[in-house]
């Protein structure tokens, strides 16, 4: 049950002791936060990517939208979904499903249907 804890521990180690922080490791860490219910940490990691000069991709956004979905932050999920368009990042089935699910959990069927 504590695999997410180990993943975050490896990710957060100081430079020289941790795994290389790239798009894949950030995506994995965000997903680990989502599974652990640590939505704030997951969204902080998503925002930190840009400062680290690591490229965000469809998986980065989908994982972050899933974090929002799990914690009932449907508005933030929609904001991330729209940001993908402005950053010209492809939205896939997983992205749509996570965003629709976030809207559904927030009782926002109209927004879900408009996607």
């Amino acid at each position: 049950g504590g695999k997410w804890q180990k993943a975050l521990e490896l990710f957060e180690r100081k430079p020289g002791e941790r795994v290389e922080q790239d798009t894949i490791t950030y995506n994995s860490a965000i997903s680990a936060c989502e599974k652990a219910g640590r939505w704030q940490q997951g969204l902080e990691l998503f925002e930190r990517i840009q400062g680290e000069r690591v490229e965000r991709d469809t998986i980065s956004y989908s994982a972050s939208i899933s974090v929002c979905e799990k914690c009932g932050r449907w508005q933030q999920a929609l904001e991330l979904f729209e940001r993908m368009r402005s950053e010209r990042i492809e939205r896939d089935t997983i992205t749509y499903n996570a965003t629709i699910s976030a809207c559904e959990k927030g009782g926002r069927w109209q927004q879900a249907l408009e996607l």
Side-chain angles (χ1 to χ4, degrees), residues 5-115:
Q5 292 167 321
K6 186 66 173 171
L8 290 176
E9 178 185 312
L10 289 170
F11 185 81
E12 292 295 341
R13 288 183 177 170
K14 56 186 168 197
E17 293 181 6
R18 65 182 175 206
V19 293
E20 179 183 347
Q21 293 183 343
D22 59 12
T23 303
I24 294 168
T25 56
Y26 266 101
N27 292 348
S28 297
I30 293 167
S31 292
C33 290
E34 181 253 326
K35 287 171 182 42
R38 300 181 67 150
W39 63 270
Q40 286 178 309
Q41 188 174 6
L43 294 176
E44 286 170 9
L45 287 172
F46 177 77
E47 292 302 331
R48 197 166 89 190
I49 292 174
Q50 198 168 14
E52 297 287 328
R53 293 192 170 99
V54 173
E55 195 169 319
R56 292 187 282 212
D57 62 9
T58 302
I59 297 168
S60 309
Y61 273 93
S62 295
S64 298
I65 291 169
S66 289
V67 167
C68 293
E69 179 261 330
K70 292 289 189 276
C71 67
R73 299 178 65 88
W74 65 270
Q75 290 168 307
Q76 194 162 7
L78 284 174
E79 288 171 13
L80 291 172
F81 185 82
E82 288 304 318
R83 196 187 311 176
M84 290 178 79
R85 180 190 331 237
S86 66
E87 292 184 14
R88 293 178 169 50
I89 295 175
E90 181 182 350
R91 297 181 281 191
D92 63 10
T93 304
I94 295 168
T95 311
Y96 276 93
N97 286 341
T99 308
I100 290 167
S101 184
C103 290
E104 180 267 327
K105 286 189 174 176
R108 302 298 184 172
W109 285 104
Q110 189 63 38
Q111 284 88 344
L113 292 172
E114 291 172 4
L115 297 175

